[in-house]
Amino acid sequence: MQQNEFDHAIGTPPPSRVDLDTVIVKGRRSQRLRTWGMSGGLAVAVLAATAGTGLWLNAGPAPADRVPAGFAAPTAGSSPMPPAPSPKSTPKAPPTRATPSWTPPPPPAEGHRLTKEEAAQLTTTLNTALTAVAPGVQVVAGSGKVREEQALSFRTGAHTNPAAIGDLRDQAGEGAVGFEVTTGTGPYLCADVAAAEYDDFDQQTDCVESAGPAGERILALTHSDPKGTTVYLGKGGKGFLVLVLRADGTMVKARAWSASFSKIDMHSNPQTPFNATRAEPPLSIAQLTAVALTPGLRYTP
Amino acid sequence: MKRAEEETYREYASARIDQLRRVAYLLCRDWHLADDLVSIALVKLYRHWRRAQRMESLDGYVRKILVNSWLDEQRRPWRREQAVEELPETPVLDPDPDGGALLALLNELPARRRAVLVLRFYCGLSVTQTAEMLGCSEGTVKSQTSRGLDALRPLASRLETT
């Protein structure tokens, strides 16, 4: 039996229905969900360590000593949700091709397991920083699927880039956030980050580079989705990504979207109508940066 | 994935779609489902493209994704077909001169046996490669091949005499 006998039996195939553009859009989504550990859903939440902070983030001003260095603590008279700085109003530093001044450590080995203690420590650190930086914002869920999980929790298990994700709610509605701790294998430059993280063709991306109080390199990306064709944003949506690259090679990626994960989960098809659930992400770039600069928020396996 | 990598992926996928559709069609005998399977396989390939493009046998990897995707489909209750374990001794052949009889007979085979024949005789894989792709022993591949060929032998005889 030969291949040509099969080909003869098949004859002339009908026109293909395989749309490579749709395949690529789905592939991008699949890749991102995999990166964020959502494909398998969230496992057991690490809540014990957050008992002290409670299930709900407390409103009111935060103690100054809980605010990361370099950022002013919110005052009682300040708005609980300061508006995100507009990309147009933010001084835009042109992307530079500077060579990183440190040698990043190798990424964690595949299969390294985040221990229960490590996960609990990261969870406590993150939620404490979040409470300090964004008082009055309520953690609605650890993901769109596990609604009862009301803290941003790092999961135990095998990770190269542990992440805590969830939906936040304030007066403007619900939106998603995610905080990923990893080690720096790049990208380090605005152009690289835009290409690696937000390569959807219909997205508009803006990026600003700056330095942190301890010499950290900070990249702040604002991206929008005017047509509603990308995975995470929805029509008219907006997202922020802040990368904090430390001199020791550790990295924090903090993200916020103007749509909740539960809404994003429903947007499996790029053709599905999808509108953002709010005008701005639930955390501003300044707030994301403040959380990401928290000294204890680092992963060094 | 960076834009350059995506372009490489696009070039590779574009060049393989036709062949993958044919393999998928031989497995499932339904062009609509074949297109779905190819789409599923290509989405999975996209997800692992960085690692996959460094593989020695990328085509084999993609075929493995495709076959496994089809076998997964077969396991879903609402997709399950009525497979016939033992064929009648003298099957009734489709007299279609365009090869419909071969496809009809192929369709009568259980899923894994069909996959073995397609991989061995259409994709040209060895017993070892087929066993590795399907995650079974070489003995299983040999026995499945033998039984599959037994089922197809009447047709093969007819093809040889025409």
Side-chain angles (χ1 to χ4, degrees):
Chain A
M1 195 170 295
Q2 302 293 323
Q3 184 182 19
N4 59 3
E5 291 175 20
F6 284 102
D7 280 330
H8 177 70
I10 292 171
T12 305
S16 171
R17 288 169 50 247
V18 180
D19 182 354
L20 205 48
D21 288 330
T22 303
V23 164
I24 288 175
V25 170
K26 288 182 178 176
R28 288 177 189 155
R29 177 178 189 271
S30 173
Q31 202 171 43
R32 286 181 190 167
L33 292 182
R34 181 169 172 264
T35 299
W36 283 90
M38 290 178 64
S39 56
L42 284 180
V44 179
V46 186
L47 289 175
T50 61
T53 57
L55 296 179
W56 297 73
L57 296 175
N58 299 323
D65 60 354
R66 292 169 69 186
V67 180
F71 290 83
T75 61
S78 66
S79 165
M81 286 299 297
S86 163
K88 292 179 181 175
S89 62
T90 306
K92 185 180 178 183
T96 55
R97 283 276 163 189
T99 304
S101 58
W102 66 87
T103 302
E110 196 77 42
H112 173 83
R113 299 190 69 80
L114 190 68
T115 66
K116 189 176 180 180
E117 292 72 25
E118 289 173 326
Q121 181 62 43
L122 285 169
T123 297
T124 302
T125 303
L126 171 61
N127 286 278
T128 302
L130 190 59
T131 306
V133 166
V137 175
Q138 173 190 346
V139 179
V140 178
S143 78
K145 294 174 183 174
V146 188
R147 304 297 295 180
E148 66 272 18
E149 187 183 6
Q150 293 176 324
L152 299 179
S153 300
F154 287 87
R155 291 182 295 154
T156 57
H159 298 288
T160 55
N161 50 349
I165 59 175
D167 287 341
L168 302 185
R169 181 191 294 157
D170 62 7
Q171 299 91 326
E174 291 185 13
V177 295
F179 296 89
E180 179 182 340
V181 288
T182 183
T183 51
T185 56
Y188 297 108
L189 305 169
C190 275
D192 298 329
V193 174
E197 301 281 340
Y198 298 105
D199 202 19
D200 288 325
F201 301 143
D202 292 331
Q203 266 187 181
Q204 297 177 348
T205 307
D206 192 14
C207 181
V208 174
E209 291 186 28
S210 60
E216 300 93 342
R217 185 193 298 256
I218 301 172
L219 305 182
L221 278 82
T222 302
H223 50 109
S224 57
D225 185 13
K227 295 181 183 176
T229 55
T230 55
V231 173
Y232 272 123
L233 296 177
K235 188 175 181 181
K238 185 184 281 186
F240 299 137
L241 165 66
V242 172
L243 267 73
V244 168
L245 305 146
R246 300 192 184 94
D248 64 358
T250 59
M251 181 193 297
V252 178
K253 293 182 181 180
R255 308 171 200 247
W257 293 276
S258 62
S260 63
F261 271 123
S262 54
K263 186 87 172 182
I264 293 167
D265 277 347
M266 291 188 289
H267 181 55
S268 59
N269 189 316
Q271 304 303 321
T272 306
F274 175 49
N275 293 322
T277 51
R278 50 189 292 154
E280 294 282 334
L283 295 179
S284 67
I285 284 181
Q287 289 171 314
L288 288 172
T289 307
V291 175
L293 282 170
T294 305
L297 202 59
R298 64 177 67 223
Y299 182 49
T300 50
Chain B
M1 187 186 294
K2 294 187 175 179
R3 203 174 294 257
E5 290 176 314
E6 192 167 285
E7 282 306 311
T8 313
Y9 167 86
R10 187 184 289 272
E11 283 176 21
Y12 175 84
S14 300
R16 298 300 192 284
I17 281 180
D18 183 59
Q19 186 66 15
L20 289 173
R21 289 182 76 221
R22 287 172 175 270
V23 173
Y25 177 72
L26 286 174
L27 292 172
C28 68
R29 289 295 318 286
D30 179 330
W31 282 111
H32 286 284
L33 180 55
D35 285 344
D36 288 346
L37 289 173
V38 171
S39 296
I40 290 169
L42 290 178
V43 168
K44 290 179 179 175
L45 176 65
Y46 182 97
R47 191 194 305 168
H48 302 290
W49 180 244
R50 279 188 185 163
R51 183 165 50 89
Q53 63 184 331
R54 296 194 295 268
M55 291 181 172
E56 283 185 15
S57 176
L58 180 55
D59 288 344
Y61 177 68
V62 180
R63 274 198 296 262
K64 184 173 184 175
I65 297 175
L66 183 69
V67 171
N68 286 337
S69 298
W70 177 62
L71 292 174
D72 286 344
E73 284 288 313
Q74 295 300 298
R75 294 188 191 105
R76 295 184 181 180
W78 58 89
R79 291 273 194 183
R80 193 162 292 159
E81 297 175 346
Q82 290 292 327
V84 180
E85 187 64 26
E86 298 296 334
L87 288 175
E89 197 165 324
T90 307
V92 178
L93 299 179
D94 186 339
D96 182 357
D98 291 329
L102 172 61
L103 299 181
L105 274 176
L106 206 57
N107 201 34
E108 295 293 319
L109 300 178
R112 291 182 72 83
R113 194 173 301 169
R114 200 186 316 171
V116 166
L117 291 185
V118 170
L119 291 173
R120 295 275 339 265
F121 299 110
Y122 186 68
C123 300
L125 301 189
S126 66
V127 171
T128 305
Q129 290 170 325
T130 305
E132 186 179 340
M133 187 167 291
L134 293 177
C136 61
S137 68
E138 293 183 18
T140 300
V141 171
K142 288 176 183 173
S143 64
Q144 293 285 331
T145 304
S146 175
R147 289 179 189 175
L149 287 178
D150 282 346
L152 298 181
R153 190 154 289 129
L155 173 67
S157 303
R158 202 189 74 163
L159 289 174
E160 285 171 3
T161 58
T162 55

